[in-house]
Amino acid sequence: MSALKKNALKKREGWNSRLGVILAVAGSAVGLGNFLRFPSQAVGNGGGAFMIPYFLAFIFLGIPLMWIEWTVGRYAGRFGHGTAPGAFHRLWQNRWIKYIGIIGIFGPLVIYVYYTYIESWLLAYAFFSATKSYFGLTTAGALGGFLQNYQGLTPGSTLWAAYVFFLLTFLANIYVLRRGVSGGIEKLARLGMPLLLVVAVVLLARIFTLGAPDPAQPDWSIWNGLGFLWNPDFPRLLDASVWLAAAGQIFFSLSIGIGVILSYASYLKPKDDVVLSGLTSASVNEFFEVIFGGSLVIPAAFAFFGPLAITSVVKSGMFNLSFVTMPLIFQQIPLGSVFATLWFILLFVAGITSSVSVALPLISFLEDEFHCSKARAVRIFGWVAFVLCQPMIFFLGHGVLDEVDFWGGTFFLTVFGLIETVLFVWVFGLDKAWDEMHRGAHIGIPRIYRFIIKYITPTALLLIVGSWFWQQAVPVFLMRNIPVADRPYILAARLGMILVFAALAALVRIAWKHKKPGGGK
Ligand code: PFF
């Protein structure tokens, strides 16, 4: 190994402790997806019956991909790569595969761009709750108006408050990232995850002691609210979209299939365990999702609005649940401002431990492949992300955020997951893959997973991706479901994304040009 190469490898950072990396991965996974997306998905897709495809997706897609990504990341890190272009190229010495790996930088960047903006609303609402700014607005319409006003969507409203909170949130992310993997991300997770647990338990205790808050409606109780969420509607299982929704939720919630866990794992040492750590972080996510995600918003909304209104409340979307329904509820309970502030702090902390994770791939890429210093890599990332965030802020009303969420947060997750699985298990080879997973492992993976990882995971992923192309590709590409007035904005967003992808491709090309031929990198 040349001295230069050795230097490049030595310079990579690392995690401080095993617990730290597990918490950081769990921090990435536990996010808005757990507290808002999960309950809305469950209610909209068969209630308790949703848990069947959800659980199967966890066993056959979630856990395998968690292990695969931890292993591929740790393996790539050994060669000084922290992102998918280098990782994929290590798994398969094909000159094109590194370009496919760009999805593993592009997808997270796209998620970062809209996720941080939403995160900033949470910070703002924590502030509004503490100062009781929206207290006194006691109808869904009035609170919806308050939110739209804040987002600059109503005539005459200004965006300055939203912009200030966005800047604060953005800078907080940059601060953590600048402090590095162990000094920033790991520390944040060590602080944030226990805080999340405490706040979630406090909120849960508060909501479960509400009983039936309306004396005139003794049936509108928290327990019946739980029943509403978990009552299985089995015939819905015949609907393929319910299965797709379950798989999509597992992917988004676990942060798998997009290259983020891969980047985190690249900072492990070659013999650090990945099997138990991967399983633990996935389990922590499920605990937060099913226990807290499933017990806070929906039962509370049921208890206050009753069985008739709840369906329309849920249908109004996860943002309404968080920014309209919960504020309505908190205004009706003693110390409501305190609990509302806690609710938004919970979501904000869950959000920031996730958003720093989606920022890391591009930063690692600049450090690893261009040997940028941390300061420089974070600065470049910061400016690029800052510019890309602007359309989210200013064109929110035209569906731009939903559009990038679809590509970054849904579509590319399964596509990347499929490619990664096939590469690791079929191209790199199952036997080598199995050995690699077990290097330094604290537990063995049940042998049945050899079969699952080789056949079931890729087949299920292929079915998901294939059925999307079959059913939805044409209307999505032709923007059939998008109002005509918004189409220019959506088209611009798509063009923007293509440009970002092309720019990353150019960077990959430049980086690899400077690598020694035959070096295998
Ligand atoms: N898992 C996060 C959530 O549940 O909110 C969102 C997320 C983070 C998705 C990181 C993907 C990702 F790479």
Side-chain angles (χ1 to χ4, degrees):
M1 200 185 288
S2 72
L4 194 115
K5 235 190 213 174
K6 260 191 194 155
N7 257 344
L9 298 191
K10 248 199 262 160
K11 264 194 300 185
R12 289 193 99 239
E13 307 163 81
W15 300 99
N16 258 341
S17 68
R18 197 157 103 86
L19 179 68
V21 59
I22 292 175
L23 287 177
V25 173
S28 167
V30 177
L32 309 182
N34 297 56
F35 297 104
L36 300 175
R37 199 175 186 274
F38 171 75
S40 350
Q41 291 283 330
V43 171
N45 290 291
F50 180 72
M51 292 317 283
I52 296 174
Y54 178 83
F55 187 68
L56 291 175
F58 180 63
I59 301 289
F60 293 113
L61 297 174
I63 294 181
L65 264 153
M66 202 50 144
W67 281 330
I68 291 174
E69 248 184 65
W70 275 74
T71 312
V72 171
R74 186 188 57 176
Y75 178 73
R78 275 220 306 273
F79 303 99
H81 296 297
T83 42
F88 284 9
H89 197 217
R90 266 282 149 190
L91 294 177
W92 188 24
Q93 306 270 313
N94 168 299
R95 57 191 297 221
W96 296 111
I97 196 68
K98 54 185 182 290
Y99 293 104
I100 307 255
I102 292 169
I103 301 173
I105 305 170
F106 169 81
L109 178 63
V110 165
I111 297 178
Y112 182 87
V113 161
Y114 71 85
Y115 203 89
T116 19
Y117 186 42
I118 299 170
E119 197 177 302
S120 73
W121 305 346
L122 299 163
L123 185 63
Y125 267 68
F127 177 78
F128 296 151
S129 303
T131 54
K132 295 192 170 183
S133 309
Y134 58 78
F135 277 55
L137 303 176
T138 50
T139 62
L143 275 162
F146 183 88
L147 177 63
Q148 291 200 325
N149 215 25
Y150 170 77
Q151 294 167 334
L153 297 179
T154 47
S157 56
T158 57
L159 262 170
W160 74 265
Y163 212 87
V164 169
F165 282 105
F166 163 70
L167 281 179
L168 287 174
T169 307
F170 195 90
L171 290 174
N173 274 279
I174 295 291
Y175 174 79
V176 173
L177 291 162
R178 175 65 189 86
R179 307 208 51 164
V181 168
S182 58
I185 296 175
E186 183 171 348
K187 271 208 181 128
L188 176 73
R190 276 178 167 273
L191 265 170
M193 292 310 284
L195 180 69
L196 271 190
L197 185 64
V198 172
V199 176
V201 168
V202 170
L203 285 169
L204 195 72
R206 174 65 282 213
I207 284 178
F208 273 71
T209 46
L210 284 172
D214 186 346
Q217 301 286 356
D219 283 347
W220 296 9
S221 69
I222 292 295
W223 299 105
N224 285 341
L226 273 182
F228 169 77
L229 173 58
W230 296 115
N231 249 346
D233 177 3
F234 288 116
R236 286 299 309 278
L237 294 183
L238 297 175
D239 186 346
S241 69
V242 169
W243 292 77
L244 287 182
Q249 178 59 25
I250 282 293
F251 268 83
F252 186 81
S253 180
L254 286 170
S255 305
I256 48 174
I258 201 65
V260 164
I261 309 275
L262 189 156
S263 274
Y264 271 17
S266 75
Y267 294 98
L268 291 168
K269 291 186 217 51
K271 287 224 169 133
D272 280 348
D273 156 82
V274 293
V275 178
L276 185 59
S277 307
L279 189 62
T280 311
S281 47
S283 310
V284 170
N285 183 65
E286 290 317 297
F287 176 75
F288 271 95
E289 180 140 302
V290 179
I291 304 296
F292 295 118
S295 317
L296 293 174
V297 183
I298 303 293
F302 182 94
F304 280 91
F305 305 110
L308 286 179
I310 180 101
T311 315
S312 63
V313 167
V314 173
K315 280 213 181 105
S316 68
M318 59 179 230
F319 290 137
N320 270 321
L321 271 177
S322 164
F323 295 103
V324 173
T325 311
M326 293 305 269
L328 275 177
I329 292 172
F330 287 125
Q331 289 186 60
Q332 296 183 38
I333 61 179
L335 292 180
S337 140
V338 174
F339 288 107
T341 311
L342 283 178
W343 163 248
F344 286 109
I345 287 179
L346 171 86
L347 293 180
F348 178 74
V349 173
I352 192 167
T353 52
S354 299
S355 57
V356 291
S357 78
V358 271
L360 190 64
L362 180 54
I363 294 172
S364 300
F365 176 72
L366 294 169
E367 287 181 273
D368 298 333
E369 315 301 350
F370 286 90
H371 305 296
C372 286
S373 65
K374 172 67 82 191
R376 185 140 191 253
V378 173
R379 208 176 320 123
I380 297 174
F381 167 82
W383 282 114
V384 170
F386 183 76
V387 170
L388 295 177
C389 282
Q390 305 309 309
M392 304 302 119
I393 303 173
F394 291 101
F395 303 131
L396 180 72
H398 298 285
V400 173
L401 191 148
D402 293 331
E403 177 68 13
V404 294
D405 172 38
F406 169 71
W407 295 105
T410 307
F411 180 79
F412 280 123
L413 253 60
T414 36
V415 170
F416 183 89
L418 172 63
I419 296 167
E420 188 179 37
T421 307
V422 170
L423 266 182
F424 191 48
V425 180
W426 286 88
V427 179
F428 187 67
L430 181 61
D431 288 331
K432 268 166 84 185
W434 196 255
D435 287 348
E436 195 55 48
M437 285 169 155
H438 281 91
R439 191 190 301 272
H442 288 266
I443 53 168
I445 302 179
R447 280 190 76 80
I448 179 85
Y449 264 98
R450 283 178 71 92
F451 180 78
I452 294 176
I453 290 180
K454 185 155 185 185
Y455 298 106
I456 301 192
T457 310
T459 311
L461 284 165
L462 204 62
L463 279 175
I464 293 172
V465 174
S467 72
W468 183 84
F469 272 100
W470 179 253
Q471 291 176 344
Q472 292 177 37
V474 174
V476 168
F477 284 127
L478 297 180
M479 300 190 283
R480 286 216 184 113
N481 300 327
I482 291 166
V484 177
D486 289 343
R487 288 186 188 169
Y489 294 90
I490 301 302
L491 206 60
R494 288 182 183 179
L495 272 175
M497 284 189 276
I498 292 172
L499 281 179
V500 170
F501 202 99
L504 289 169
L507 286 181
V508 165
R509 194 179 147 83
I510 294 168
W512 259 260
K513 252 198 176 152
H514 292 97
K515 292 185 198 296
K516 280 216 192 84
K521 295 175 85 189

